[in-house]
């Protein structure tokens, strides 16, 4: 791919838009949950709103990916998807307390179909923003935008909800999306030709590609299995806080500790990349994550927990960057968006399953739950089980 004269500006613009979108994404679910608690007054019904935003992504991801691959200007479609997501959040927030809860949850489900656009929809466009020579660095910086969003989003949500109420937190999430929309709309036109097949045929082609291309099958299976453990870790954070810090709130702040570790690791790797194939990086990062989760389960005190969670972040950032790099390398050019949005949908679903399993196990033993959360071991086994005949040079 030839170097674009405005490649540096293009990457800065991309990173700004992606960070805004992913921060808004990490804010929207908790903000809507808090608003539901304030209006409905019960955790059970309010949690349905949060679930509604996530459960539909398994369907929305593949379909959105096909639409991006079929579009000659996927940036404009991405802008439209974010506009729709923001509008859905606004409608759900306004309807709360005025319409039956089932109707509001239905709006949340429909809105949740667009969630993968905020993650995989952006990443799929990265290859058209930067020249091939700097793609590896850009992938690490792209992974860092997830960490920034994961770090800033919950904190900003809690701050705004505490100062002025959860409605303002929802409004701030919508505002960030509005700022990201013009950035998405002006993303470069892709060099590839858009798909011309029907949506069902394209969905089949994307599914076949993920299932039959060894490199894609391996990284998709391994990353999805690993994310089950991450979903369990999220549930375990407040419980770790209660056990080691006598406060569930302090336990929840462990997510910020992890995000800091992930952000620092990805930024350092972007600045000083190591001459290691992303496949190898995935194995190393996943191994570190396994040790971290096992350490949390057996930690004798809070210091060990904090250090272990910090290393989980140090593993999580490079792990995500490695997944992004492998998908960029292995995905057929005309199916790239579908590969990324489908991968994002599968990870969200895996995280939800992990959270559900964690709730059951934690009732018996926090140690048992965290040991089971070390499904990173299974991710390594899944990675090793898929043979890739000939390594593809990194580039």
């Amino acid at each position: 791919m030839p170097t674009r004269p405005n490649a540096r500006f293009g990457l800065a613009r991309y990173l700004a838009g992606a960070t805004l979108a992913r921060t808004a994404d990490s804010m929207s679910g908790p903000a809507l949950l808090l608003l539901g608690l304030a209006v409905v007054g019960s955790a059970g019904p309010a949690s349905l709103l949060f679930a509604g935003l996530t459960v539909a992504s398994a369907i929305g991801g593949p379909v959105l990916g096909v639409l991006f691959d079929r579009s000659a200007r996927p940036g404009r479609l991405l802008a439209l998807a974010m506009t729709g997501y923001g509008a859905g959040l606004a409608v759900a927030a306004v309807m709360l307390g005025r319409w039956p809860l089932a109707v509001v949850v239905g709006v949340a489900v429909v809105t949740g179909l667009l969630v993968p656009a905020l993650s995989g929809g952006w990443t799929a466009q990265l290859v058209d923003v930067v020249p091939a020579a700097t793609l590896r660095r850009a992938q690490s910086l792209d992974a860092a935008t997830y960490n920034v969003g994961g770090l800033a989003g919950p904190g900003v949500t809690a701050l705004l909800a505490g100062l002025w109420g959860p409605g303002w937190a929802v409004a701030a999430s919508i505002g960030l999306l509005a700022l990201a929309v013009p950035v998405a709309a002006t993303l470069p036109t892709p060099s590839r030709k858009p798909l011309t097949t029907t949506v069902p045929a394209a969905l089949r082609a994307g599914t076949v590609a993920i299932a039959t291309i060894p490199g894609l099958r391996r990284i998709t299976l391994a990353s999805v299995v690993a994310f089950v453990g991450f979903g369990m870790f999220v549930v375990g954070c407040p419980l770790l806080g209660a056990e080691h810090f006598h406060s569930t709130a302090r336990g929840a702040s462990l997510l910020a500790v992890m995000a800091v570790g992930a952000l620092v690791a990805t930024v350092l790797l972007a600045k000083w990349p190591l001459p290691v194939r992303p496949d190898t990086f995935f194995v190393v990062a996943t191994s570190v994550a396994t040790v971290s989760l096992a350490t949390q389960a057996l930690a004798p005190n809070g210091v060990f927990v904090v250090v272990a969670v910090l290393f989980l972040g140090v593993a999580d950032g490079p792990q995500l960057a490695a997944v992004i790099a492998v998908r960029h390398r292995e995905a057929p050019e005309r199916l790239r968006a579908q590969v990324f949005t489908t991968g994002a949908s599968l990870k969200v679903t895996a995280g939800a399953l992990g959270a559900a399993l964690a709730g059951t196990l934690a009732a018996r033993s926090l140690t048992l739950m965290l040991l089971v959360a070390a499904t990173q071991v299974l991710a390594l086994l899944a990675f090793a089980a898929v043979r890739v005949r000939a390594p593809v040079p990194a580039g």
Side-chain angles (χ1 to χ4, degrees):
M1 182 184 298
T3 303
R4 293 184 176 88
N6 64 340
R8 182 179 297 274
F9 171 75
L11 178 59
R13 181 178 59 195
Y14 169 91
L15 293 173
T19 301
L20 288 168
R22 287 158 183 167
T23 302
D25 183 23
S26 67
M27 289 180 64
S28 59
L32 195 60
L33 175 63
L34 291 174
L35 184 61
L37 283 170
V39 174
V40 181
S42 174
S47 67
L48 293 176
L49 294 169
F50 182 81
L53 282 177
T54 57
V55 71
S57 67
I59 299 173
V63 175
L64 277 173
V66 168
L67 296 178
F68 285 135
D69 286 328
R70 285 169 55 89
S71 174
R73 292 298 303 270
R76 293 180 180 177
L77 185 59
L78 177 58
L80 182 62
M82 289 194 298
T83 301
Y85 186 70
L89 288 176
V91 170
V94 171
M95 291 175 68
L96 261 174
R98 297 180 176 87
W99 288 68
L101 182 64
V103 177
V104 184
V105 171
V107 172
V109 170
V110 173
T111 304
L113 291 170
L114 301 172
V115 167
L118 280 65
S119 52
W122 276 91
T123 300
Q125 315 309 319
L126 183 59
V127 71
D128 295 306
V129 173
V130 299
T134 60
L135 182 59
R136 183 77 178 268
R137 172 177 172 270
Q139 288 162 348
S140 292
L141 292 173
D142 184 38
T145 66
Y146 287 91
N147 307 138
V148 172
L151 178 62
V156 173
T157 298
L159 178 63
L160 293 177
L163 290 175
W164 299 303
W168 284 102
V170 176
S173 175
I174 296 170
L176 292 179
L177 286 170
L179 291 174
V181 164
V183 181
T186 55
L187 283 171
T189 303
S191 55
R192 50 94 184 156
K193 293 182 179 180
L195 279 177
T196 56
T197 56
T198 63
V199 171
L203 283 170
R204 286 194 299 270
T207 302
V208 168
I210 293 172
T212 60
I213 297 175
L216 275 183
R217 183 168 72 247
R218 182 170 68 177
I219 202 66
T220 300
L221 177 62
S223 62
V224 167
V225 172
F227 214 72
V228 174
F230 179 76
M232 299 178 74
F233 163 74
V234 172
V235 173
C237 281
L239 303 178
L240 282 168
E243 179 167 322
H244 293 285
F245 308 109
H246 310 292
S247 168
T248 56
R250 291 179 182 175
S253 67
L254 290 172
L255 289 171
V257 173
M258 191 203 75
V260 168
L263 178 60
V264 170
T266 48
V267 170
L268 289 178
L269 285 174
K271 188 171 182 61
W272 295 290
L274 299 177
V276 179
R277 299 181 73 245
D279 311 73
T280 305
F281 234 121
F282 179 85
V283 172
V284 173
T286 305
S287 300
V288 173
T290 301
V291 174
S292 167
L293 288 165
T295 302
Q296 292 171 45
L298 305 173
N301 55 55
V303 174
F304 276 82
V305 171
V306 172
V307 173
V309 171
L310 184 65
F311 272 93
L312 181 62
V314 169
D316 180 71
Q319 186 186 61
L320 176 59
V323 172
I324 290 173
V326 173
R327 284 184 178 146
H328 269 298
R329 186 190 70 199
E330 299 285 346
E333 185 178 12
R334 299 180 70 190
L335 298 172
R336 182 176 291 113
Q338 188 182 168
V339 167
F340 274 99
T341 55
T342 299
S345 299
L346 291 173
K347 286 180 68 175
V348 170
T349 303
L353 291 174
L357 177 60
T360 301
L361 293 175
R364 299 184 178 183
S365 167
L366 174 60
T367 299
L368 173 63
M369 188 268 282
L370 287 170
L371 287 174
V372 174
T375 50
Q376 310 283 342
V377 171
L378 298 179
L380 290 172
L381 293 175
F383 190 90
V386 180
R387 299 279 182 147
V388 178
R389 293 182 179 179
V392 180

